[in-house]
Amino acid sequence: MADFDYRTLDELIHSRIRLAVVSILSAVEFADFRFLREKTGATDGNLGAHIGKLENAGYVSAEKLFVERKPVTRYRLTPEGKAAFQAYVIRLGEMVRLEDAS
Amino acid sequence: MADFDYRTLDELIHSRIRLAVVSILSAVEFADFRFLREKTGATDGNLGAHIGKLENAGYVSAEKLFVERKPVTRYRLTPEGKAAFQAYVIRLGEMVRLEDAS
DNA sequence: ACAGAGTACTCTGTTTTTCAGAGTTACACA
DNA sequence: TGTGTAACTCTGAAAAACAGAGTACTCTGT
């Protein structure tokens, strides 16, 4: 039988907001703050705090620039972030047997 | 693009311990307390509290009996619990694109 | 009837996390 | 140098997670 130890699910990714952020970043190569805020529906303070955790963990990197005279921060997954997300998804799949639901 | 609003993920299921419990119950028809505790690795007090939340939500039902002279509580998913879990898994799949990882 | 044993909680208190919103910083451009 | 926009940082409140102690329950043996 599969392993269901709850501690084997990366708690840094297993948060609804952070999971949404990482999922988006895994799909789009890079995304800016406004985009992430709109897609997740989070308030900007809250979103900033969650992204901060992902940056501290080395899962996400940020790049600041100006586009059309306006400040923009672009985020992308680091290789570590990609690996962690992939591991998380695989682990999750083992746990919930997602393939059965499709 | 898919919806990434973090509030669309059932927060009652999206907890590492409760997710483990519900996943197990979705696979085995019923399970007793000891079994759940061993599989999840949770302490019994903590596990009891999480199961309590699932019961209050109507996702899980309990049945007490004695087996080999020892008290046993058997838990199973209610129809509501099954539906909620299935919805959760589908939602999760949309979010993380789990099918890509296999 | 009562004591002992085993299980499944319930309760308590601590730690951690989440969240919203206000306030602040930073930089480009006029 | 002042203004505008975006991206945070900080604060504080609320909720959740967690471990572990303590308790209640019912069976069984005497």
Side-chain angles (χ1 to χ4, degrees):
Chain A
M1 185 170 190
D3 178 23
F4 287 95
D5 188 319
Y6 72 95
R7 284 158 300 197
T8 60
L9 263 187
D10 188 337
E11 67 181 336
L12 225 123
I13 293 181
H14 191 77
S15 141
R16 292 186 301 168
I17 289 184
R18 293 195 298 272
L19 179 58
V21 168
V22 172
S23 294
I24 292 169
L25 292 180
S26 79
V28 300
E29 193 62 32
F30 63 80
D32 62 36
F33 191 88
R34 292 176 62 92
F35 182 80
L36 292 175
R37 193 182 53 197
E38 282 160 21
K39 287 294 176 186
T40 60
T43 56
D44 60 350
N46 197 10
L47 179 59
H50 280 292
I51 292 177
K53 288 187 183 182
L54 292 171
E55 285 187 80
N56 286 341
Y59 287 179
V60 164
S61 65
E63 175 193 5
K64 286 164 185 284
L65 60 153
F66 273 75
V67 175
E68 291 174 9
R69 305 171 190 175
K70 295 172 187 170
V72 167
T73 306
R74 284 223 272 246
Y75 300 98
R76 67 184 73 222
L77 278 187
T78 62
E80 296 77 37
K82 281 179 185 159
F85 179 64
Q86 197 165 38
Y88 173 84
V89 171
I90 287 171
R91 186 70 198 82
L92 202 57
E94 290 169 2
M95 222 165 181
V96 306
R97 298 154 181 258
L98 187 125
E99 69 276 7
D100 295 354
S102 56
Chain B
M1 185 167 190
D3 178 23
F4 287 96
D5 188 318
Y6 72 94
R7 285 159 299 196
T8 61
L9 263 186
D10 188 337
E11 67 181 336
L12 223 121
I13 293 181
H14 191 78
S15 140
R16 292 186 303 169
I17 290 184
R18 292 195 299 270
L19 178 58
V21 168
V22 172
S23 294
I24 292 169
L25 293 180
S26 78
V28 300
E29 193 62 32
F30 62 80
D32 62 37
F33 191 87
R34 292 178 62 91
F35 182 81
L36 292 175
R37 192 181 54 198
E38 282 160 21
K39 287 293 175 185
T40 60
T43 56
D44 60 349
N46 197 10
L47 179 59
H50 280 292
I51 292 176
K53 289 186 183 181
L54 292 171
E55 286 187 78
N56 286 341
Y59 287 179
V60 164
S61 64
E63 177 192 4
K64 288 165 184 283
L65 59 152
F66 274 74
V67 175
E68 289 174 10
R69 305 171 192 175
K70 296 171 189 171
V72 167
T73 306
R74 284 223 272 247
Y75 300 98
R76 67 185 74 224
L77 278 187
T78 63
E80 297 77 39
K82 281 180 185 157
F85 179 64
Q86 197 164 37
Y88 173 84
V89 170
I90 287 171
R91 186 70 198 80
L92 202 57
E94 291 169 0
M95 221 165 182
V96 306
R97 297 154 180 256
L98 188 127
E99 70 277 7
D100 296 352
S102 56

